[in-house]
């Protein structure tokens, strides 16, 4: 490769960007152009065809809703046991919530194929009476929600996320503190940076033992929504949100990097 375009911005990852650009550490590294954050769905939601969850959010107080969403592919869906623990934790927290639920994968001892797009049976998956007891305070959405629009909504106060990079950038650019619950691949590494370096989230520890218990989820939701730690996270993510906006303004680092990418001489590739 003669160059690499990265969906990030320099002030978010200064150590990594600095190391990759230092010939002492990466002598054969091609130029790195940090041109992010590139976030889908950056426009305002239109009333026509507006998702039901956005209409519900319009009726909630500012920064009062915990949003739980674990990616759009369905890979790594939570077990039936985990879904019940999540429901109990959310109910006991006393906070408003918007939760995107997918059907759990089959047990390991079955040959049943897993269809991540299957419509989940909420009455069977969630504790008896949960939907009724939390009606008005919570909304459970099947399969999918417009995540970027939900995160930008004024009612959203926290984001429980699997730490996929697109979700990380959407949370940061929306200025929403995050509860980090990685599932697979690079998400565990992203979680470490989110918690230890960026300072925009807290880790939900139970994922390391296979199941996040209701008590931990309740406590972490309360911590972010009520406590001083939540205020600290909110202030830190707000700083990153402002830096992300500046990166793409005239004179910003990402706009300058993209301009450099366009102006740099590239070798002509001739194919036989």
């Amino acid at each position: 490769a003669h160059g690499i375009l990265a969906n990030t911005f320099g002030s978010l990852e200064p150590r990594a960007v600095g190391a990759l650009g230092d010939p002492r550490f990466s002598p054969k590294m091609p130029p790195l152009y940090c041109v992010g954050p590139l976030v889908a769905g950056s426009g305002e939601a239109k009333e026509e065809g507006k998702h039901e969850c956005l209409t519900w959010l319009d009726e909630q107080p500012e920064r009062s809703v915990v949003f739980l969403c674990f990616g759009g592919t369905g890979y790594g869906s939570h077990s039936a046991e985990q879904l019940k623990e999540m429901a109990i934790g959310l109910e006991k927290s006393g906070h408003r919530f918007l939760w995107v639920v997918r059907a759990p994968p089959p047990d390991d001892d079955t040959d049943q194929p897993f269809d991540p797009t299957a419509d989940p049976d909420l009455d069977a998956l969630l504790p008896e009476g949960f939907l009724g007891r939390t009606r008005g305070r919570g909304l459970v959405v099947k399969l999918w929600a417009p995540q970027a629009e939900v995160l930008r909504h004024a009612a959203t106060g926290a984001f429980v996320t699997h730490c996929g990079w697109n979700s990380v950038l959407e949370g940061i650019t929306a200025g929403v503190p995050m509860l980090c619950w990685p599932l697979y691949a690079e998400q565990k590494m992203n979680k470490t940076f989110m918690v230890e370096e960026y300072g925009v989230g807290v880790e939900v520890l139970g994922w390391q033992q296979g199941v996040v218990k209701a008590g931990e989820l309740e406590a972490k939701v309360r911590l972010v929504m009520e406590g001083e730690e939540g205020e600290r996270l909110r202030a830190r993510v707000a700083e990153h949100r402002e830096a992300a906006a500046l990166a793409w303004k005239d004179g910003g680092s990402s706009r300058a990097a993209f301009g450099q990418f366009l102006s740099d001489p590239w070798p002509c590739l001739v194919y036989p």
Side-chain angles (χ1 to χ4, degrees):
H2 297 285
I4 298 174
L5 295 170
N7 187 12
T8 188
F9 53 103
S11 65
L12 181 66
E13 303 186 85
R15 288 199 306 126
V17 173
L20 291 173
D22 191 327
R24 295 175 299 170
F25 306 129
S26 307
K28 296 184 179 181
M29 181 75 180
L32 175 68
Y33 305 92
C34 297
V35 297
L38 305 175
V39 177
S42 57
E44 294 296 324
K46 298 179 180 179
E47 287 298 325
E48 183 179 353
K50 188 174 181 178
H51 195 279
E52 62 169 326
C53 71
L54 297 175
T55 302
W56 181 82
L57 284 171
D58 290 341
E59 301 170 354
Q60 310 308 314
E62 186 174 342
R63 292 197 317 190
S64 66
V65 176
V66 179
F67 176 47
L68 300 91
C69 188
F70 295 85
T73 64
Y75 183 83
S77 295
H78 296 300
S79 67
E81 177 189 3
Q82 182 63 87
L83 291 174
K84 285 183 168 60
E85 291 288 334
M86 294 166 74
I88 295 169
L90 289 172
E91 184 174 359
K92 288 187 174 180
S93 77
H95 284 279
R96 293 174 171 83
F97 62 87
L98 171 58
W99 182 15
V100 181
V101 172
R102 289 178 175 271
D107 295 335
D108 293 337
D109 57 353
T110 69
D111 296 326
Q112 179 182 355
F114 176 45
D115 179 8
T117 65
D119 204 25
D121 183 351
L122 298 180
D123 289 324
L125 291 172
L126 303 180
E128 184 178 357
F130 169 79
L131 294 174
R133 291 191 301 272
T134 59
R135 183 173 289 115
R137 178 167 68 84
L139 179 65
V140 179
V141 177
K142 296 180 180 181
L143 299 176
W144 181 87
Q147 178 172 288
E149 294 176 46
V150 170
L151 289 171
R152 289 195 304 272
H153 198 285
T156 303
F159 179 26
V160 183
T161 175
H162 66 313
C163 306
W165 189 244
N166 285 336
S167 294
V168 174
L169 290 181
E170 288 173 1
I172 287 174
T173 56
V176 177
M178 289 170 267
L179 282 75
C180 303
W181 184 334
L183 297 177
Y184 59 94
E186 89 293 348
Q187 296 165 10
K188 300 172 185 179
M189 182 176 66
N190 292 346
K191 177 271 303 177
T192 299
F193 281 98
M194 293 166 70
V195 174
E196 299 181 12
E197 188 152 332
Y198 312 156
V200 299
V202 295
E203 182 179 4
V204 180
L205 295 169
W207 70 269
Q208 300 180 34
Q209 286 75 47
V211 176
V212 174
K213 295 297 185 180
E216 185 190 4
L217 182 59
E218 175 191 354
K220 291 293 171 63
V221 165
R222 289 181 180 275
L223 181 147
V224 174
M225 297 295 285
E226 302 172 9
E228 292 182 4
E229 178 70 5
E231 290 302 318
R232 185 191 67 80
L233 292 172
R234 196 164 283 108
R236 185 66 175 142
V237 76
E239 293 175 2
H240 287 303
R241 178 188 60 193
E242 293 171 6
L246 288 173
W248 262 107
K249 289 187 176 180
D250 289 339
S253 61
S254 293
R255 184 176 286 267
F258 191 69
Q260 186 65 46
F261 161 70
L262 294 176
S263 63
D264 278 352
W266 296 100
C268 180
L269 301 180
V270 179
Y271 297 93

